[in-house]
Every structure is written in C-alpha cells, then in structure tokens.
Amino acid sequence: MNVAWNDIFKLPEAALEGARRVPKAALVRAGQLTRKQERSLSKVRAVEHVATVQRSTVRIAPHVDDEHDIRAVIFLRIELDGASAAYAEIAGIIHPCFPNPTALLIEHGDEVCISVAVTRMSLAEHGATVVEDMECTGGFDVRDSRYAPFLNALAMDNLPQDDLYTYVCGLLWNAKLARAMPQLGFFPQCVSGREGNLAVLADKAIQLTAERDALAARRRNSELTLNETAKLRMKQRDVERKLDDVIGQVRAICQK
C-alpha cells in the first residue's frame, strides 16, 4: 500500500527535507544487532527516513534534562516483505538503533502499523540512550473509517508542542490507545485528567481479550472431556462479562 503519510502527520515541508534510504547494514552497526536480529531484519524490504521534527524544521523546542536529551524526533517508513508482518518484533529491533525518539511507519501489503518509541539517557553507559517506552498499534487498514479519529489525532496541530518530549509522548499516547481498538471497537478519547484511568482500562481490555482467545483455543482441543469443555466455557463467559464491563467503563469515560 502506498500511503501518503504526511497527509496524516501534516508536518511542514522543512521537516520532510533530506528524505533518504537507510541501508540495513547501517542499522546492524548502529544497533549492534545479534545474528538472530539480523535474520529478523531480512523481513524488511526497505527503510526510508521521511521526516525530522526538530526546532529548525517545526520550531518545537528540544527537551534536555537529567534523563532525556531529545533534540529531534525521526520518522521512518518501513516496508516489510513476506507473509508474516511481525510488527512488534521489527519495531523492537529498529527503535533501539536510533538515539532519538522514532516513529516507525510500517507498511505490509494492505496493512500499516505505527510504532512510537521515546528514548532516555542510559543509567549504565555514559552518553548512551535506551528506549524508555514503546507503543505499537498493530496492523490496520488506513481506509478503515474506525481509525479516522486516530489518524486525525496524529496531525501536528492536534498534538502537544510544549517541547519535543511532549510531542513524541503525544504520538506514543495515541498509538497506545489505537492498540486497544480491536478490543474496544472504537478509538477512545477522553477529557484531560482522565488519561490515567483510560490507560489502565485499555490495557485491561487487551489483557482480557487475550485471556478470552486463549480459553477459546483451549476449548477447540478435541481430546478434552465434556466436563473440561464446560469448565472452560464458563471461564470464557466470565472473562467476556469482565471485558464487556471494561468496554462500558471506557465508553463512560469517553462520553464525559
């Protein structure tokens, strides 16, 4: 899928200057990748630097303190090859290759995935940076109308711009909420001050969905007795009730 990414992020032209291909060999060196990670990187067909958000390109101030040295946010387009998307795996390999916070715009067939990582100074190695937090949306179709509010939330003017740290944290927050969309069925947005509750509930929805799906998979085992199947069915229904309750709480928060 050929995605017009800046129609989503709406960055100024200055931020798009200098777009270029990034050799995978450079990632291997920068990230000091293991042989296993190198093999995983073979799923990547192309890496392209598409934008740099920094003071000189968007007039957002850097953020430097005892824990962070954030002077730029790098946007990279990643094109995956093969049948398996492996979004989280690839994101987990590529994000640490860069000292700056990064937004990975991953394309795979008709799906895309957006992964955002915030970096901080390493406590163990002077001058080095590590990934402080990372959120990966999972695969979705940009033409899916349910994702329109999420994509709209990524536009530059809709994100905090106190400094580059608040900006990238805004990207990260929206990616976190989008990760829960398959469970919730909608993009959750709440008023200021309720973000903590929403984050907890979104994580709970993801956890309960995984638990429900695991129970459903166990029930398909043909070697189970009727009694074992019945017990699993009861557990699954209990999890589904809890999930419905969590979704209801999210809706309530988002309506206020």
Side-chain angles (χ1 to χ4, degrees):
M1 178 182 292
N2 188 14
V3 180
W5 286 107
N6 206 42
D7 287 350
I8 296 169
F9 293 98
K10 301 187 186 309
L11 300 173
E13 285 299 318
L16 308 179
E17 294 177 359
R20 62 189 185 278
R21 293 289 284 264
V22 178
K24 287 194 286 183
L27 297 178
V28 172
R29 290 193 301 271
Q32 298 181 335
L33 302 186
T34 65
R35 290 290 180 86
K36 181 179 179 181
Q37 289 173 320
E38 280 192 63
R39 289 193 295 271
S40 295
L41 204 61
S42 65
K43 301 172 185 176
V44 175
R45 180 181 299 166
V47 180
E48 180 184 1
H49 166 250
V50 295
T52 302
V53 171
Q54 57 189 9
R55 187 199 291 273
S56 63
T57 60
V58 299
R59 298 186 179 180
I60 300 179
H63 180 98
V64 181
D65 59 25
D66 291 341
E67 296 183 349
H68 305 91
D69 186 356
I70 299 176
R71 303 173 191 268
V73 179
I74 308 300
F75 287 71
L76 300 163
R77 174 184 167 271
I78 312 293
E79 186 179 352
L80 295 187
D81 202 357
S84 175
Y87 298 119
E89 178 189 4
I90 295 301
I93 292 172
I94 294 180
H95 279 306
C97 294
F98 295 84
N100 301 295
T102 43
L104 305 184
L105 319 177
I106 307 173
E107 301 177 8
H108 181 256
D110 290 334
E111 279 192 345
V112 301
C113 169
I114 297 174
S115 183
V116 182
V118 180
T119 55
R120 63 166 173 79
M121 303 301 293
S122 172
L123 300 177
E125 184 179 351
H126 179 70
T129 59
V130 296
V131 172
E132 177 180 76
D133 199 1
M134 182 184 89
E135 291 291 347
C136 190
T137 63
F140 67 95
D141 190 328
V142 294
R143 298 166 296 188
D144 186 337
S145 60
R146 293 175 302 168
Y147 281 83
F150 163 60
L151 297 175
N152 182 62
L154 300 178
M156 183 177 171
D157 288 345
N158 293 332
L159 291 165
Q161 298 180 29
D162 302 323
D163 58 28
L164 289 173
Y165 182 65
T166 62
Y167 173 78
V168 73
C169 284
L171 288 173
L172 186 99
W173 169 249
N174 285 299
K176 178 182 182 67
L177 297 182
R179 186 166 61 90
M181 284 186 63
Q183 291 74 34
L184 300 174
F186 62 95
F187 180 60
Q189 293 172 294
C190 67
V191 298
S192 179
R194 305 300 301 274
E195 294 92 348
N197 291 340
L198 182 55
V200 170
L201 290 170
D203 285 341
K204 188 67 174 177
I206 293 170
Q207 173 195 331
L208 288 170
T209 300
E211 189 176 343
R212 179 200 63 189
D213 293 346
L215 288 168
R218 288 174 61 189
R219 285 181 58 197
R220 290 194 288 271
N221 186 344
S222 60
E223 297 182 0
L224 292 176
T225 65
L226 290 176
N227 185 49
E228 289 170 332
T229 301
K231 287 181 178 180
L232 288 173
R233 183 172 61 250
M234 291 176 62
K235 287 183 180 179
Q236 184 178 338
R237 287 177 178 173
D238 182 56
V239 170
E240 288 170 347
R241 283 193 293 268
K242 291 178 181 177
L243 178 59
D244 288 342
D245 179 63
V246 167
I247 293 174
Q249 291 181 61
V250 172
R251 290 188 182 278
I253 287 178
C254 293
Q255 289 169 358
K256 294 182 180 178

